[in-house]
Amino acid sequence: MSKNLMETEETNRLTRQEEEEDDEDSREAWTEEENEEDGDENDEDLEFLCLFCDFKYSSCDALFDHCRLTHFFDFNGIRKDLGLDFYGSFKLINYVRSQVADNRCWSCGVCCQSKQDLQSHLHPSVNTKDVKLLLDDDKYLNPFMREDSLLYSFDGGEEDEDECNTSFEKEEIVKDFGSVCIDDDDTAEETELNGETYNKDKKTVMACPNGHLSLASSSKIITENGMDYGENARSVESDPKDKQSRVCIADVVEKDIKKINDSYFGSYSSFGIHRDMISDKIRTDAYRQALLKNHSLLNGAVVMDVGCGTGILSLFAAQAGASRVISIEASEKMATVATQIAKDNGLWRSKTDSEGNKSCTGVIEVVNCMVEDLDKSIQIQPHSVDILVSEWMGYCLLYESMLSSVLFARDRWLKPGGAILPDTATIFVAGFGKGGTSLPFWENVYGFNMSYIGKEVVEDAAKFPIVDIINHHDLVTNAAVLQSFDLATMKPDEVDFTATAELEAKNDTLDHKATACFGLVLWFETGFTSRFCKEMPTVLSTSPYTPKTHWSQTILTFREPISVASSKFTAEGSAAVGTDACPASKILLRISIAHATQHRCIDISLETAGVGSDGRKRSWPAQMFNLT
Amino acid sequence: MGRRKGSNTAQTSTNSSNQFEGTKIRFQDADDDGVATDNSNLDESILAVDKATEDVSMGEPDVSFVDSDAGDDKTSADYYFDSYSHFGIHEEMLKDVVRTKTYQNVIYQNKFLFQNKVVLDVGAGTGILSLFCAKAGAAHVYAVECSHMADMAKQIVETNGLSDVITVLKGKIEEIELPVAKVDIIISEWMGYFLLFENMLNTVLYARDKWLFNDGVVLPDKASLYLTAIEDAEYKDDKIEFWNNVYGFDMSCIKKQAMMEPLVDTVDQNQIVTNSHLLKTMDISKMAPGDASFTASFKLVAQRDDYIHAFVAYFDVSFTKCHKLMGFSTGPKSRATHWKQTVLYLEDVLTICEGEAIVGSMTVAPNKKNPRDVDIMVKYSLSGRRCVVSRVQFYKMR
């Protein structure tokens, strides 16, 4: 599941590559295709939602006029004042949306009781310079609102001067076309914009207002983990060439958004990352084993793969003898890849085969939509699926998790008693020591003391979970189960939970010395248990004790370390529990994980108490972590 | 220079043998089973077993080897937890001993350069270079850093009792004001992968033109980019041909795009088949900003009969104003650095005989849209006894 980000990018590349392959056809042919294509997409209306109220506008200008006149928010004025470039403006929109969601004034920071209060509070900004500092946070590069078409449509602004947003894209497109056509050209100059190419491509873009649309949807891909709405009409069996060209334009435009992420978040874009996801053997092998080694389960079964990505699980299912595999992928790009791969491997099930016209060897059909919208794309009898398979797990199990989509599919299409793979999921927790932090490094750097940075790292980590590998040698307590899910029976609203756990200091040293516990490690296991996988049950573990996976572990750091020791430690009478003088022998935890208001994210709350060997108890203030 | 790693995780992550993992710099070797190497970001990869492996004299002593035959897993921290990876980058760079020690030696062993001089540290990061300069007797050091690290640097300077010598200024070089009109020395560690990726060179040049005395010194003042060619069947298989067979399935439709991405990875010197050709030398004290875009021809002569799968680019940096010439190389024959080398895979496998030459040219330019990306075009041809090839390939560092 965490793979989807990468996979999306993967597809970008793929489609671009297809462009290249396509370039035997002349550039003109290309352009024509684009023009044909825009016909049916021309009349799509963009809906721009006001930053402050529920009004919607069909153009950015109208929207910004409204914001300026009604809400005292002068978008273009502020951009000019602050000299915001494209990314800055992008951040500005997300910043304002995030503040409004909290009923907070974007300009003075005052918190209002309600949206109405906020709207009446809004005032002309006094010192916009202050806002610039607040904007200086890369989190605002994440679209705050789903499908925020505004983000991809506002005028390109100062930086691009005469060129507006479309030309911003245009330039990129031209550039791309340039490189696409390179194979026959020998000189570097050909990659440069030359007038002719430029004009042609300009035409393409002009005639294709859908560029915006594609952009909007592509951003979704990034932000929503591939929930690309796209037009369902783009069914996979449409003329492949036409399809390709459509994808291409969207793809090219998408690069701008991707760039934002590239530059600031580190690149999602590498094919290598995707390769790494697939070659996360622990993950892939667990599924492979569950699917291939349980013949009685798979043989002749109707399988649904929720969020199929490259389709690797579907391929396994097909290989294992499934009679039909319905592979659902919300990202249009990824669906295209999965389709191509299924075809390349002779496992594609052509839809026309029911009429007997086309030869059909395969069993896989890829449906490009969200699970929730599946009925709009394809008719599947309710409760007709034998096996539901999905790799839905995110970091800390639930971050960006598709679990609710899987449960949706279960309740609608899975036969009573049908199999769900995996069918259990368990979250574990343990405490880690200093070795799990980078504190030691910063204490002496080429003779200089930089422990201030170490302190800062820890402070930061007390608010934001870290996803990283923890070595099991660095664990200072036992591991405890925090929460278990039975996917076959759980209710959709049980995804958010509160649970308690009790950790005991590791008892493996003879001297029973106190050691500092700097925080908690969370990880999960998913089980393909004998309930369904009778022949070969399997567990996929992301524990620090087992080989690492791309999920690593999730690290929650305490504000201050808690000293722990086994109960045999003799404490000094009056010292506070959790100090070196009176280490805790037990740590009591109460942890809630819930989906945050900002989509994709989860909030983790952590309450910690220490119990001394003498039974005295001390509680620390609750901590909130936001996994964004 | 907190950007290098963050925005280049793609390249880093494709190195399937070793990599840096977030702040903790855990060394996780997926292939090299059983060997635990820690706290060195010097990649003694399986390819480079014969490299000098002198250990870093600091950092975590604990061995945190996580055994796995899983592929290379970039930790998601790099994608999502900015502030965290932020520190991680600095840790990674500081732990690059070749880099940091060279600067340290340049400064400590050439105190005559620094004594009573005013120094400007461009992109100071943690402030380590400024601290070195202060120790070497600089009259004053202005450490300019635009990121949040500036606050850290300030604190570090204070902790180490050097506040009266070092002034940390937070802001972009192009926007800040210095309390002095001119400086004697500009020091910076601006180099990126492939020398120019994500480069800060223009920032250094800007600072030079604005503040440096006419007879002032830029450190380093020389950077050279080289090209050579390697046999790399095994890794090309691993990284590119991988897509041909994924658990028995054909995913080759993804392959072609993979070729476009130069790979930042460590190359073993035994893989080198040809000579190295100097593509470009930059004199940082004189060059104009535009000089970072160039086209250079090359001729790579095979030193043995072999196959060629890739070109490899790397750079040297030198400090010519030192008492003795100092500097370091990021080439395959030198001790590994966090810059590693940059591998550009070829469409075809070239069969080359000793004495035959690949001739061609490389064009390097910042991407028009995102100047931190680098576009690379390589034209090459070989007319050998066993292989005749002429081709143009494009790459993009991103």
Side-chain angles (χ1 to χ4, degrees), chain A residues 5 13 17 182 266 345 460 467, chain B residues 6 76 80 83 250 253 261 394:
Chain A
L5 274 176
R13 283 160 186 273
Q17 171 211 332
I182 278 159
N345 291 279
D460 231 59
V467 176
Chain B
S76 41
Y80 295 107
S83 58
D250 175 1
C253 56
E261 291 184 24
F394 292 84

Side-chain angles (χ1 to χ4, degrees), chain B residues 161-182:
Chain B
L162 291 166
S163 323
D164 50 336
V165 188
I166 302 173
T167 307
V168 179
L169 300 166
K170 184 175 182 174
K172 289 187 178 154
I173 282 285
E174 292 82 356
E175 289 165 9
I176 55 143
E177 284 178 27
L178 280 191
V180 291
K182 290 285 169 188

Side-chain angles (χ1 to χ4, degrees), chain A residues 271-423:
Chain A
F271 76 94
I273 291 167
H274 188 58
R275 180 180 60 91
D276 297 338
M277 306 293 303
I278 285 193
S279 55
D280 179 342
K281 271 198 185 146
I282 307 297
R283 157 191 178 267
T284 314
D285 279 346
Y287 279 91
R288 183 168 191 249
Q289 189 160 336
L291 292 167
L292 292 188
K293 302 253 170 95
N294 289 285
H295 298 290
S296 58
L297 179 65
L298 265 294
N299 200 18
V302 176
V303 178
M304 182 181 280
D305 177 358
V306 178
C308 71
T310 54
I312 186 78
L313 304 186
S314 301
L315 296 170
F316 289 149
Q319 199 174 33
S323 62
R324 181 182 182 192
V325 182
I326 305 149
S327 313
I328 307 163
E329 174 54 53
S331 147
E332 182 184 349
K333 308 295 179 305
M334 224 44 230
T336 312
V337 176
T339 303
Q340 188 60 46
I341 289 173
K343 280 179 184 163
D344 289 348
N345 291 279
L347 293 168
W348 171 250
R349 168 183 162 129
S350 162
K351 275 191 192 160
T352 47
D353 77 295
S354 53
E355 294 147 31
N357 292 332
K358 283 193 181 172
S359 66
C360 157
T361 48
V363 295
I364 299 176
E365 57 201 293
V366 178
V367 187
N368 173 213
C369 70
M370 299 210 304
V371 170
E372 288 77 1
D373 296 333
L374 187 60
D375 280 334
K376 293 177 196 157
S377 309
I378 184 174
Q379 285 302 312
I380 299 171
Q381 283 294 311
H383 310 297
S384 66
V385 168
D386 299 302
I387 301 171
L388 191 60
V389 64
S390 178
E391 197 274 81
W392 52 268
M393 299 84 75
Y395 301 122
C396 195
L397 188 66
L398 297 172
Y399 174 65
E400 289 196 331
S401 141
M402 291 195 307
L403 180 53
S404 36
S405 298
V406 172
L407 298 179
F408 177 89
R410 179 197 67 182
D411 293 340
R412 182 155 178 81
W413 291 289
L414 193 63
K415 275 182 189 165
I420 183 163
L421 301 180
D423 62 321

Side-chain angles (χ1 to χ4, degrees), chain B residues 211-266:
Chain B
W211 286 299
L212 193 65
F213 277 119
N214 284 337
D215 57 348
V217 174
V218 185
L219 297 173
D221 57 344
K222 212 177 112 189
S224 306
L225 190 66
Y226 295 86
L227 193 72
T228 187
I230 58 165
E231 187 282 329
D232 200 20
E234 192 185 333
Y235 265 37
K236 194 183 179 198
D237 272 356
D238 185 37
K239 285 158 187 153
I240 307 291
E241 308 304 328
F242 169 84
W243 294 108
N244 288 339
N245 182 344
V246 180
Y247 284 86
F249 299 106
D250 175 1
M251 298 197 179
S252 57
C253 56
I254 292 173
K255 193 172 80 179
K256 215 172 174 185
Q257 209 51 47
M259 300 280 300
M260 295 267 297
E261 291 184 24
L263 196 65
V264 174
D265 206 348
T266 314

Side-chain angles (χ1 to χ4, degrees), chain B residues 301-339:
Chain B
V301 182
Q303 291 158 342
R304 61 171 186 249
D305 289 357
D306 210 333
Y307 302 96
I308 287 173
H309 298 88
F311 291 128
V312 170
Y314 61 90
F315 62 89
D316 289 357
V317 165
S318 38
F319 303 78
T320 66
K321 297 294 191 302
C322 295
H323 181 58
K324 278 172 67 181
L325 178 70
M326 296 177 87
F328 62 86
S329 169
T330 65
K333 292 181 178 168
S334 309
R335 189 174 162 185
T337 70
H338 77 281
W339 288 285

Side-chain angles (χ1 to χ4, degrees), chain A residues 5-6 10 13-14 16-17 20-21 138 160 168 171-172 175 182 185-188 191-192 255-256 258-259 262-276 278-282 284-285 288 310 312 315-316 319 337 340-341 344-345 347 395 399-400 435-438 440-442 444-450 452-453 456-457 460 465-471 473-474 547-550 552 555 600 627-628, chain B residues 6-10 13-14 16 19 21-24 26 28 58-60 62-84 87 90-91 94-97 100-101 104 108 126 128 131-132 135 148-149 151-152 155-156 159-160 162 238-240 242-243 246-258 260-261 363 367-370 372-373 375 377 379 392 394 396 398:
Chain A
L5 274 176
M6 333 289 186
E10 199 59 53
R13 283 160 186 273
L14 172 65
R16 272 198 286 145
Q17 171 211 332
E20 275 183 71
E21 282 167 352
D138 289 346
D160 292 314
F168 183 68
E171 197 184 320
E172 189 62 40
K175 179 89 181 134
I182 278 159
D185 305 324
D186 262 1
T187 54
T191 55
E192 307 283 305
K255 281 183 22 190
D256 279 338
K258 190 171 63 177
K259 277 230 170 84
D262 276 357
S263 315
Y264 292 83
F265 288 79
S267 163
Y268 302 139
S269 64
S270 172
F271 76 94
I273 291 167
H274 188 58
R275 180 180 60 91
D276 297 338
I278 285 193
S279 55
D280 179 342
K281 271 198 185 146
I282 307 297
T284 314
D285 279 346
R288 183 168 191 249
T310 54
I312 186 78
L315 296 170
F316 289 149
Q319 199 174 33
V337 176
Q340 188 60 46
I341 289 173
D344 289 348
N345 291 279
L347 293 168
Y395 301 122
Y399 174 65
E400 289 196 331
T437 72
S438 65
F441 170 77
W442 295 109
N444 179 355
V445 180
Y446 293 83
F448 298 103
N449 177 354
M450 296 198 178
Y452 184 81
I453 291 184
E456 198 78 9
V457 172
D460 231 59
I466 292 164
V467 176
D468 204 346
I469 301 287
I470 282 272
N471 188 304
H473 295 301
D474 291 329
K548 65 172 179 165
T549 68
H550 78 278
S552 305
I555 300 166
R600 291 201 311 155
L627 191 49
T628 54
Chain B
S7 25
N8 202 25
T9 47
S13 71
T14 47
S16 71
Q19 70 185 101
E21 294 269 13
T23 299
K24 283 175 293 180
R26 290 280 158 84
Q28 299 179 349
M58 46 161 208
E60 298 175 334
D62 67 324
V63 168
S64 46
F65 171 70
V66 179
D67 173 48
S68 168
D69 49 5
D72 164 20
D73 301 319
K74 187 76 222 141
T75 64
S76 41
D78 296 289
Y79 307 117
Y80 295 107
F81 309 109
D82 236 28
S83 58
Y84 180 67
F87 300 112
H90 292 283
E91 190 172 333
L94 288 168
K95 282 181 173 173
D96 181 340
V97 171
T100 313
K101 274 276 177 195
Q104 186 182 37
Y108 286 181
T126 55
I128 187 76
L131 294 166
F132 290 153
K135 286 258 174 182
H148 171 60
M149 280 310 290
D151 305 329
M152 310 279 118
Q155 197 66 42
I156 288 166
T159 309
N160 291 281
L162 291 166
D238 185 37
K239 285 158 187 153
I240 307 291
F242 169 84
W243 294 108
V246 180
Y247 284 86
F249 299 106
D250 175 1
M251 298 197 179
S252 57
C253 56
I254 292 173
K255 193 172 80 179
K256 215 172 174 185
Q257 209 51 47
M260 295 267 297
E261 291 184 24
T363 302
N367 183 265
K368 289 238 158 31
K369 196 74 234 165
N370 186 346
R372 279 155 63 168
D373 290 351
D375 290 339
M377 178 180 75
K379 287 198 262 184
V392 184
F394 292 84
K396 188 169 193 170
R398 55 188 302 159

